[in-house]
Amino acid sequence: MYNDYVALTYHASLLADEYRVRAFQTAIESVVRPGDVVADIGCGTGILTLFACRAGARHVYAIDDGPIIELAKLILRQNGYAEQVTCIDRPSHQAALPEPVDVIVSETIGNYGAEERIVPTLWDACRRWLKPEGRVIPRALELYCAPVTWPEPEPALTVWRQPVCGFDVSPGVPFAISQQYARRLRPEHLLAEGQCYSRLLLTPEALAGPAPPKVTGTAVFQVNRPAVMHGVGGWFRAALTASVGITTDPAGSQTSWGHLCLPIAEPIRVETGDEVAISLTSVGGGSLLRWEVTWRGAGGATRIFRHSDFEGWLATPERLRPLAEDAAPGLSSKGQAQLFSLTKLDAGWTIGQVARGLHERFADQFPTLEDALVYVKGQALKFARS
Ligand SMILES: C[S@@+](CC[C@H](N)C(=O)[O-])C[C@H]1O[C@@H](n2cnc3c(N)ncnc32)[C@H](O)[C@@H]1O
């Protein structure tokens, strides 16, 4: 299935990133003590769980809400650790552990650092699971940004600005400039030295507050050469322990992470000494961003660009209308088909019976029985009891 393919190729790239894997190995070996109970949040293939087991953990709770956890179970069994590990296939905030843990480890660090929601995830897990003297890997995250010239001509942005076979596709522009792009930056793309705009302590003490720390900050730059500024670049440094860290600094070696690239509405010509102020604020625990870029040229010219992921959603008024609080939109035929299949699965119908029912009632969506079978199996994979 497509999602499994995506998960497998993604996790293969993570395992192949020796810099990342070795750093976590060193950190886990120095933090996990024999007899410890460990939670690995976002265990993926189980590689960090394996390190914890080999370091002497008495038990590890390996948690992942993606299909990759099925592979983690096989890999753990293959390496003789199945008995020592409990795999939990759900989001950590929905998971309950039967005992408190000594160590929480989580590699849910995104391209700019926070978009995989590591901050609220660790905040929640520390409060519910960690022993009073417990330890967390990573213990801090520093988020960096700089004004950048875009790595290559960027078709994802430029395509909307020119006609395609004579047709005007410019309605795509406002959406395209309000997206986070993952690209690979090199030092020559930076128009000023990168600066840390947010330092996030992830120690149990720092996460003891009533809400997760906010991911937000501003940095002001002096442009160091004439160039075209396309937007903002972002990366991170993570302190896994007091002495082990990882960074995706563009000047460092290539890693499995991409760099965050945030566009501005129009690329602008900048000169040495121009000032660029960048403010970044994450919403939704880190997954969404608002960014504001203020350019001040030497002659007093100023441009302000304000963007957010919200503006990048293809949320036309027609699409949003059914979401109004007083709307009672009912279900589309697609919704009816899903309701039918889940209701019948829940009532104990077999996969074949549900598929035949779908094929008969929703022939426009499932013209063949095979189409219906593929659909029902997908639903069962996601929602069946076991
Ligand atoms: C970057 S991968 C890391 C995988 C593995 N730990 C490693 O180091 O190779 C992050 C994984 O975390 C999972 N994940 C992210 N947030 C999660 C959460 N709150 N609860 C459970 N799984 C989560 C994702 O499904 C993904 O498989």
Side-chain angles (χ1 to χ4, degrees):
M1 278 181 204
Y2 180 70
N3 279 347
D4 294 358
Y5 164 79
V6 171
L8 203 61
T9 49
Y10 169 59
H11 285 277
S13 75
L14 298 181
L15 290 181
D17 181 351
E18 204 175 327
Y19 168 72
R20 184 193 80 97
V21 172
R22 291 276 180 219
F24 271 93
Q25 178 183 12
T26 310
I28 290 168
E29 285 172 355
S30 70
V31 169
V32 174
R33 300 173 195 145
D36 274 351
V37 177
V38 176
D40 174 6
I41 303 180
C43 66
T45 51
I47 183 68
L48 308 188
T49 292
L50 287 166
F51 289 143
C53 289
R54 200 158 60 186
R58 172 172 65 74
H59 202 85
V60 183
Y61 295 94
I63 305 152
D64 203 297
D65 59 353
I68 197 68
I69 196 157
E70 297 305 322
L71 181 57
K73 290 176 194 168
L74 299 177
I75 291 175
L76 290 164
R77 190 174 312 142
Q78 183 78 6
N79 288 276
Y81 290 115
E83 300 300 309
Q84 216 171 313
V85 179
T86 304
C87 289
I88 302 175
D89 55 351
R90 57 178 56 195
S92 57
H93 60 269
Q94 290 175 10
L97 302 189
E99 59 182 329
V101 304
D102 301 280
V103 178
I104 295 174
V105 59
S106 186
E107 200 287 70
T108 49
I109 308 174
N111 290 331
Y112 84 83
E115 71 265 40
E116 290 183 29
R117 307 187 79 252
I118 187 168
V119 179
T121 294
L122 288 179
W123 174 79
D124 166 69
C126 284
R127 293 161 69 85
R128 293 192 297 124
W129 302 339
L130 197 62
K131 291 181 184 172
E133 301 302 312
R135 290 143 271 150
V136 179
I137 306 172
R139 66 203 314 270
L141 203 53
E142 291 183 339
L143 311 184
Y144 284 76
C145 70
V148 296
T149 193
W150 208 274
E152 286 94 31
E154 178 52 62
L157 290 173
T158 54
V159 72
W160 308 108
R161 299 189 189 269
Q162 301 129 20
V164 174
C165 302
F167 295 112
D168 180 357
V169 292
S170 63
V173 170
F175 300 105
I177 58 175
S178 303
Q179 306 281 341
Q180 302 177 31
Y181 293 86
R183 297 290 182 267
R184 204 156 293 289
L185 293 168
R186 290 188 300 279
E188 62 266 30
H189 299 125
L190 309 190
L191 302 179
E193 198 178 325
Q195 291 188 41
C196 175
Y197 63 92
S198 180
R199 265 191 189 84
L200 297 155
L201 275 180
L202 303 173
T203 57
E205 306 76 50
L207 295 176
K214 290 238 178 297
V215 182
T216 182
T218 298
V220 181
F221 303 83
Q222 303 293 318
V223 171
N224 60 17
R225 65 191 164 88
V228 174
M229 176 172 74
H230 293 100
V232 177
W235 61 96
F236 70 85
R237 283 174 196 274
L240 303 187
T241 69
S243 57
V244 182
I246 41 179
T247 176
T248 58
D249 190 314
S253 46
Q254 189 171 316
T255 71
S256 48
W257 282 280
H259 295 122
L260 173 75
C261 286
L262 300 171
I264 50 176
E266 287 161 40
I268 51 169
R269 183 94 213 151
V270 295
E271 302 295 336
T272 308
D274 287 0
E275 186 184 285
V276 176
I278 298 173
S279 292
L280 291 164
T281 300
S282 83
V283 197
S287 46
L288 303 171
L289 276 175
R290 292 182 207 281
W291 59 104
E292 183 174 310
V293 179
T294 305
W295 165 78
R296 287 192 186 86
T302 301
R303 294 285 306 270
I304 301 176
F305 301 96
R306 289 194 187 89
H307 297 277
S308 83
D309 286 306
F310 294 110
E311 289 151 26
W313 293 354
L314 293 169
T316 51
E318 296 86 84
R319 206 165 159 211
L320 291 180
R321 201 164 298 126
L323 308 186
E325 218 170 300
D326 58 355
L331 286 180
S332 64
S333 156
K334 208 169 150 192
Q336 295 283 0
Q338 180 164 18
L339 181 67
F340 176 86
S341 66
L342 292 181
T343 310
K344 299 307 180 199
L345 282 172
D346 195 42
W349 285 29
T350 66
I351 299 284
Q353 286 171 324
V354 182
R356 279 188 288 281
L358 277 174
H359 175 49
E360 277 161 24
R361 283 163 183 254
F362 303 95
D364 51 334
Q365 289 179 64
F366 307 101
T368 67
L369 183 59
E370 200 184 336
D371 293 330
L373 272 168
V374 169
Y375 177 80
V376 182
K377 286 180 185 183
Q379 296 290 298
L381 201 57
K382 269 197 208 150
F383 302 115
R385 266 180 220 112
S386 58

PDB file of all heavy atoms in Angstrom, residues 173 246 353 375:
ATOM      1  N   VAL A 173      -0.682  30.886  -7.138  1.00  0.00           N
ATOM      2  CA  VAL A 173       0.419  31.622  -6.480  1.00  0.00           C
ATOM      3  C   VAL A 173       0.193  31.817  -4.977  1.00  0.00           C
ATOM      4  O   VAL A 173       1.061  31.466  -4.174  1.00  0.00           O
ATOM      5  CB  VAL A 173       0.691  32.974  -7.191  1.00  0.00           C
ATOM      6  CG1 VAL A 173       1.650  33.835  -6.375  1.00  0.00           C
ATOM      7  CG2 VAL A 173       1.244  32.736  -8.585  1.00  0.00           C
ATOM      8  N   ILE A 246      23.286  16.969  17.767  1.00  0.00           N
ATOM      9  CA  ILE A 246      23.216  16.843  16.312  1.00  0.00           C
ATOM     10  C   ILE A 246      22.781  18.192  15.760  1.00  0.00           C
ATOM     11  O   ILE A 246      22.052  18.942  16.411  1.00  0.00           O
ATOM     12  CB  ILE A 246      22.228  15.753  15.829  1.00  0.00           C
ATOM     13  CG1 ILE A 246      20.944  15.757  16.634  1.00  0.00           C
ATOM     14  CG2 ILE A 246      22.844  14.400  15.790  1.00  0.00           C
ATOM     15  CD1 ILE A 246      19.956  14.725  16.159  1.00  0.00           C
ATOM     16  N   GLN A 353     -18.782  -9.566   2.479  1.00  0.00           N
ATOM     17  CA  GLN A 353     -20.178  -9.079   2.530  1.00  0.00           C
ATOM     18  C   GLN A 353     -20.221  -7.555   2.400  1.00  0.00           C
ATOM     19  O   GLN A 353     -21.041  -7.010   1.669  1.00  0.00           O
ATOM     20  CB  GLN A 353     -20.835  -9.500   3.853  1.00  0.00           C
ATOM     21  CG  GLN A 353     -21.176 -10.977   3.913  1.00  0.00           C
ATOM     22  CD  GLN A 353     -21.625 -11.385   5.319  1.00  0.00           C
ATOM     23  OE1 GLN A 353     -21.114 -10.875   6.321  1.00  0.00           O
ATOM     24  NE2 GLN A 353     -22.569 -12.309   5.386  1.00  0.00           N
ATOM     25  N   TYR A 375     -11.112  -1.245  -1.097  1.00  0.00           N
ATOM     26  CA  TYR A 375     -11.532  -0.176  -0.198  1.00  0.00           C
ATOM     27  C   TYR A 375     -11.815  -0.726   1.209  1.00  0.00           C
ATOM     28  O   TYR A 375     -11.327  -0.200   2.205  1.00  0.00           O
ATOM     29  CB  TYR A 375     -12.775   0.515  -0.771  1.00  0.00           C
ATOM     30  CG  TYR A 375     -13.339   1.584   0.126  1.00  0.00           C
ATOM     31  CD1 TYR A 375     -12.779   2.854   0.161  1.00  0.00           C
ATOM     32  CD2 TYR A 375     -14.432   1.318   0.958  1.00  0.00           C
ATOM     33  CE1 TYR A 375     -13.288   3.836   1.001  1.00  0.00           C
ATOM     34  CE2 TYR A 375     -14.947   2.289   1.793  1.00  0.00           C
ATOM     35  CZ  TYR A 375     -14.373   3.553   1.814  1.00  0.00           C
ATOM     36  OH  TYR A 375     -14.879   4.515   2.646  1.00  0.00           O
TER      37      TYR A 375
END
